[in-house]
Amino acid sequence: MTTTSRKKGPLPPLPADGPLLTGVEVAALLRTTRRQVSVMVRRGQLPAPLQIAGLGLRWRRPSIEEYLAGL
C-alpha cells in the first residue's frame, strides 16, 4: 500500500476582488495605515475582523463597503 504525502506550503493569496480583505487592503481602501485600521477596530469605528485559521485577520468586503458608503 502506498501513501501519498502532500506538501504543506503557503496558502495561495486571496484575489484582490475576493470576499475577504487583509488589513493592508482595508488600509489601502481607507487611504490610511494598517496601524490606524487596528486603532479604528479597537475604538469600534470599523467592523471587527474575522480570525481565519492559517490566514490571520480578514474583513468581509461587504462590511467594509457598507462602512465606506456611510462616510
Side-chain angles (χ1 to χ4, degrees):
M1 179 190 235
T2 58
T3 60
T4 58
S5 63
R6 294 184 182 188
K7 286 186 177 180
K8 289 191 175 187
L11 295 172
L14 294 172
D17 61 343
L20 298 175
L21 300 170
T22 65
V24 171
E25 292 168 332
V26 171
L29 286 172
L30 299 176
R31 295 189 174 133
T32 190
T33 64
R34 175 65 182 93
R35 184 177 178 104
Q36 185 61 32
V37 168
S38 296
V39 170
M40 292 172 76
V41 169
R42 279 196 306 269
R43 291 179 179 170
Q45 296 170 326
L46 276 180
L50 305 170
Q51 178 69 46
I52 307 293
L55 295 177
L57 299 178
R58 298 291 188 267
W59 283 260
R60 293 184 192 274
R61 179 177 288 275
S63 64
I64 296 301
E65 288 173 349
E66 285 176 24
Y67 170 80
L68 290 171
L71 290 180

